[in-house]
Amino acid sequence: MTPSVQRRKAPLLRRVIGTVFYNLPHPMRRRIVRIVTPTYTLGSVVLVMDEDREHLLMLRQPPGRRWTLPAGLLNRNETPLQGARRELNEETGIEADFDELVPADPCAVVHTHGRWVDNVFRLVRDPSQTQVIVDGHEVWDAAWQRADDLPEMTRATAKLLSHYGLGPLAAEADDPTTA
């Protein structure tokens, strides 16, 4: 004896929409799905710190006075590692080899409200030996900040840094009652 399967009848409008949708050519169905489903923008961020994690390179970018990190959106067909390397060079003048950019732990941070994903990499540099060059247009200023006394930063930067035990929101990330 086989178990019986009960089926509910879908409302008429839903059946009609389903029938029309599944009779469309596959490329058109795929395009519709991509339009109506949530999508995430991908970016790369680089945490440039000294060996002892005492100093962090931060940037001040238009339009605000708050500080951020070297970061940017990925170009089409660009890997997160390539994007991190490119953005780091564009914003700070620092050139890094691919093997110097190490995935952070966690290696990705999902910002669900803004619908973007940051791929995060670490780079170790000695502040006294690293020349930082900013263009004054995309980046106004760059400075090595003490990791235990970071300046006022954007909310997104503070949230990202909290995943690494840094910044003003780090205590919240460690406190299970605020989760």
Short mmCIF file of all heavy atoms in Angstrom, two decimals, residues 44-73:
data_model
loop_
_atom_site.label_atom_id
_atom_site.label_comp_id
_atom_site.label_asym_id
_atom_site.label_seq_id
_atom_site.Cartn_x
_atom_site.Cartn_y
_atom_site.Cartn_z
N SER A 44 35.90 44.15 -2.27
CA SER A 44 37.07 43.66 -1.55
C SER A 44 37.58 44.75 -0.62
O SER A 44 37.55 45.93 -0.97
CB SER A 44 38.19 43.24 -2.52
OG SER A 44 37.86 42.03 -3.15
N VAL A 45 38.04 44.33 0.54
CA VAL A 45 38.57 45.22 1.56
C VAL A 45 39.94 44.68 1.97
O VAL A 45 40.14 43.47 2.05
CB VAL A 45 37.65 45.25 2.81
CG1 VAL A 45 38.21 46.14 3.89
CG2 VAL A 45 36.25 45.68 2.43
N VAL A 46 40.88 45.60 2.27
CA VAL A 46 42.20 45.17 2.74
C VAL A 46 42.46 45.79 4.11
O VAL A 46 42.39 47.00 4.29
CB VAL A 46 43.31 45.59 1.76
CG1 VAL A 46 44.66 45.07 2.25
CG2 VAL A 46 43.02 45.07 0.36
N LEU A 47 42.73 44.92 5.09
CA LEU A 47 43.16 45.36 6.41
C LEU A 47 44.68 45.42 6.38
O LEU A 47 45.35 44.38 6.41
CB LEU A 47 42.70 44.37 7.49
CG LEU A 47 41.20 44.12 7.61
CD1 LEU A 47 40.93 43.00 8.60
CD2 LEU A 47 40.49 45.39 8.01
N VAL A 48 45.23 46.62 6.27
CA VAL A 48 46.68 46.79 6.23
C VAL A 48 47.12 47.10 7.65
O VAL A 48 46.77 48.15 8.21
CB VAL A 48 47.09 47.93 5.28
CG1 VAL A 48 48.61 48.01 5.16
CG2 VAL A 48 46.46 47.75 3.89
N MET A 49 47.88 46.17 8.24
CA MET A 49 48.31 46.32 9.63
C MET A 49 49.78 45.97 9.76
O MET A 49 50.34 45.28 8.91
CB MET A 49 47.49 45.41 10.55
CG MET A 49 46.00 45.71 10.53
SD MET A 49 45.08 44.76 11.74
CE MET A 49 45.39 45.76 13.19
N ASP A 50 50.37 46.44 10.86
CA ASP A 50 51.74 46.05 11.14
C ASP A 50 51.75 44.62 11.70
O ASP A 50 50.70 44.04 11.98
CB ASP A 50 52.40 47.04 12.10
CG ASP A 50 51.69 47.17 13.43
OD1 ASP A 50 50.54 46.67 13.56
OD2 ASP A 50 52.27 47.76 14.35
N GLU A 51 52.92 44.06 11.83
CA GLU A 51 53.09 42.67 12.27
C GLU A 51 52.41 42.40 13.62
O GLU A 51 51.83 41.34 13.83
CB GLU A 51 54.59 42.34 12.37
CG GLU A 51 54.89 40.89 12.65
CD GLU A 51 54.70 40.01 11.42
OE1 GLU A 51 55.09 40.43 10.33
OE2 GLU A 51 54.18 38.88 11.58
N ASP A 52 52.46 43.36 14.53
CA ASP A 52 51.91 43.18 15.87
C ASP A 52 50.44 43.57 15.98
O ASP A 52 49.89 43.56 17.09
CB ASP A 52 52.73 43.99 16.88
CG ASP A 52 54.18 43.54 16.92
OD1 ASP A 52 54.44 42.33 16.76
OD2 ASP A 52 55.06 44.42 17.09
N ARG A 53 49.83 43.96 14.89
CA ARG A 53 48.42 44.39 14.86
C ARG A 53 48.17 45.59 15.78
O ARG A 53 47.11 45.73 16.37
CB ARG A 53 47.48 43.24 15.24
CG ARG A 53 47.40 42.15 14.20
CD ARG A 53 46.43 41.06 14.58
NE ARG A 53 45.18 41.58 15.10
CZ ARG A 53 43.98 41.35 14.59
NH1 ARG A 53 43.87 40.59 13.53
NH2 ARG A 53 42.89 41.86 15.12
N GLU A 54 49.16 46.47 15.89
CA GLU A 54 49.02 47.65 16.73
C GLU A 54 48.57 48.87 15.92
O GLU A 54 48.04 49.82 16.48
CB GLU A 54 50.33 47.97 17.43
CG GLU A 54 50.71 46.94 18.47
CD GLU A 54 52.05 47.23 19.12
OE1 GLU A 54 52.75 48.18 18.70
OE2 GLU A 54 52.40 46.50 20.06
N HIS A 55 48.80 48.86 14.61
CA HIS A 55 48.44 49.99 13.75
C HIS A 55 47.67 49.49 12.53
O HIS A 55 48.00 48.44 11.97
CB HIS A 55 49.69 50.75 13.30
CG HIS A 55 50.39 51.41 14.43
ND1 HIS A 55 51.37 50.78 15.16
CD2 HIS A 55 50.24 52.64 14.97
CE1 HIS A 55 51.80 51.60 16.09
NE2 HIS A 55 51.13 52.74 16.00
N LEU A 56 46.69 50.28 12.14
CA LEU A 56 45.83 49.95 11.00
C LEU A 56 45.82 51.16 10.06
O LEU A 56 45.63 52.30 10.51
CB LEU A 56 44.41 49.67 11.50
CG LEU A 56 43.31 49.45 10.46
CD1 LEU A 56 43.55 48.16 9.68
CD2 LEU A 56 41.95 49.41 11.15
N LEU A 57 46.01 50.91 8.78
CA LEU A 57 45.96 51.98 7.79
C LEU A 57 44.50 52.29 7.48
O LEU A 57 43.73 51.41 7.10
CB LEU A 57 46.68 51.57 6.50
CG LEU A 57 46.70 52.63 5.40
CD1 LEU A 57 47.47 53.87 5.84
CD2 LEU A 57 47.31 52.05 4.13
N MET A 58 44.12 53.56 7.67
CA MET A 58 42.75 53.99 7.40
C MET A 58 42.76 55.18 6.45
O MET A 58 43.74 55.91 6.36
CB MET A 58 42.03 54.33 8.70
CG MET A 58 41.88 53.10 9.61
SD MET A 58 40.80 53.40 11.02
CE MET A 58 39.19 53.34 10.23
N LEU A 59 41.64 55.35 5.75
CA LEU A 59 41.51 56.40 4.74
C LEU A 59 40.33 57.30 5.07
O LEU A 59 39.35 56.86 5.65
CB LEU A 59 41.25 55.77 3.36
CG LEU A 59 42.16 54.64 2.90
CD1 LEU A 59 41.67 54.10 1.57
CD2 LEU A 59 43.58 55.11 2.82
N ARG A 60 40.46 58.54 4.66
CA ARG A 60 39.35 59.49 4.74
C ARG A 60 38.98 59.82 3.30
O ARG A 60 39.80 60.31 2.53
CB ARG A 60 39.76 60.74 5.50
CG ARG A 60 38.62 61.38 6.24
CD ARG A 60 39.08 62.39 7.28
NE ARG A 60 40.10 63.30 6.81
CZ ARG A 60 39.85 64.43 6.13
NH1 ARG A 60 38.63 64.76 5.85
NH2 ARG A 60 40.84 65.21 5.74
N GLN A 61 37.73 59.52 2.95
CA GLN A 61 37.26 59.69 1.58
C GLN A 61 36.04 60.60 1.53
O GLN A 61 35.30 60.70 2.51
CB GLN A 61 36.89 58.33 0.98
CG GLN A 61 38.09 57.39 0.91
CD GLN A 61 37.70 56.02 0.42
OE1 GLN A 61 36.98 55.31 1.09
NE2 GLN A 61 38.19 55.66 -0.76
N PRO A 62 35.81 61.25 0.39
CA PRO A 62 34.61 62.08 0.26
C PRO A 62 33.37 61.20 0.41
O PRO A 62 33.43 60.02 0.10
CB PRO A 62 34.71 62.63 -1.15
CG PRO A 62 36.05 62.28 -1.66
CD PRO A 62 36.63 61.23 -0.80
N PRO A 63 32.28 61.70 0.88
CA PRO A 63 32.00 63.10 1.17
C PRO A 63 32.17 63.45 2.65
O PRO A 63 31.99 64.59 3.01
CB PRO A 63 30.53 63.23 0.78
CG PRO A 63 29.94 61.92 1.16
CD PRO A 63 31.04 60.90 0.89
N GLY A 64 32.48 62.47 3.49
CA GLY A 64 32.44 62.73 4.92
C GLY A 64 33.78 62.91 5.59
O GLY A 64 34.83 62.94 4.95
N ARG A 65 33.70 63.07 6.90
CA ARG A 65 34.90 63.24 7.71
C ARG A 65 35.31 61.94 8.39
O ARG A 65 36.32 61.88 9.05
CB ARG A 65 34.64 64.30 8.77
CG ARG A 65 34.46 65.69 8.20
CD ARG A 65 34.24 66.70 9.29
NE ARG A 65 33.08 66.43 10.11
CZ ARG A 65 31.86 66.88 9.87
NH1 ARG A 65 31.64 67.64 8.83
NH2 ARG A 65 30.86 66.60 10.68
N ARG A 66 34.50 60.92 8.26
CA ARG A 66 34.78 59.65 8.94
C ARG A 66 35.77 58.82 8.13
O ARG A 66 35.92 58.98 6.93
CB ARG A 66 33.48 58.89 9.15
CG ARG A 66 32.57 59.64 10.10
CD ARG A 66 31.35 58.85 10.42
NE ARG A 66 30.54 59.60 11.37
CZ ARG A 66 29.24 59.64 11.33
NH1 ARG A 66 28.58 58.97 10.42
NH2 ARG A 66 28.58 60.34 12.22
N TRP A 67 36.42 57.90 8.83
CA TRP A 67 37.48 57.09 8.24
C TRP A 67 36.95 55.75 7.75
O TRP A 67 35.95 55.23 8.25
CB TRP A 67 38.59 56.89 9.27
CG TRP A 67 39.31 58.16 9.60
CD1 TRP A 67 38.90 59.14 10.46
CD2 TRP A 67 40.55 58.60 9.06
NE1 TRP A 67 39.81 60.17 10.48
CE2 TRP A 67 40.84 59.87 9.64
CE3 TRP A 67 41.45 58.07 8.15
CZ2 TRP A 67 41.99 60.58 9.33
CZ3 TRP A 67 42.60 58.79 7.85
CH2 TRP A 67 42.85 60.03 8.43
N THR A 68 37.63 55.21 6.74
CA THR A 68 37.27 53.93 6.13
C THR A 68 38.54 53.11 5.93
O THR A 68 39.60 53.46 6.42
CB THR A 68 36.57 54.14 4.77
OG1 THR A 68 37.48 54.78 3.87
CG2 THR A 68 35.31 54.97 4.89
N LEU A 69 38.41 52.06 5.15
CA LEU A 69 39.53 51.16 4.83
C LEU A 69 39.73 51.14 3.31
O LEU A 69 38.81 51.45 2.56
CB LEU A 69 39.21 49.75 5.31
CG LEU A 69 38.99 49.60 6.81
CD1 LEU A 69 38.37 48.25 7.13
CD2 LEU A 69 40.29 49.78 7.56
N PRO A 70 40.91 50.72 2.85
CA PRO A 70 41.09 50.54 1.41
C PRO A 70 40.11 49.46 0.91
O PRO A 70 40.15 48.33 1.39
CB PRO A 70 42.54 50.06 1.28
CG PRO A 70 43.20 50.46 2.55
CD PRO A 70 42.13 50.44 3.60
N ALA A 71 39.23 49.85 0.01
CA ALA A 71 38.19 48.92 -0.44
C ALA A 71 37.55 49.43 -1.72
O ALA A 71 37.70 50.60 -2.08
CB ALA A 71 37.12 48.78 0.65
N GLY A 72 36.82 48.54 -2.36
CA GLY A 72 36.08 48.94 -3.56
C GLY A 72 35.33 47.78 -4.16
O GLY A 72 35.50 46.62 -3.75
N LEU A 73 34.49 48.09 -5.14
CA LEU A 73 33.70 47.08 -5.82
C LEU A 73 34.54 46.33 -6.84
O LEU A 73 35.47 46.89 -7.42
CB LEU A 73 32.51 47.74 -6.52
CG LEU A 73 31.54 48.49 -5.62
CD1 LEU A 73 30.44 49.12 -6.45
CD2 LEU A 73 30.95 47.56 -4.57
#
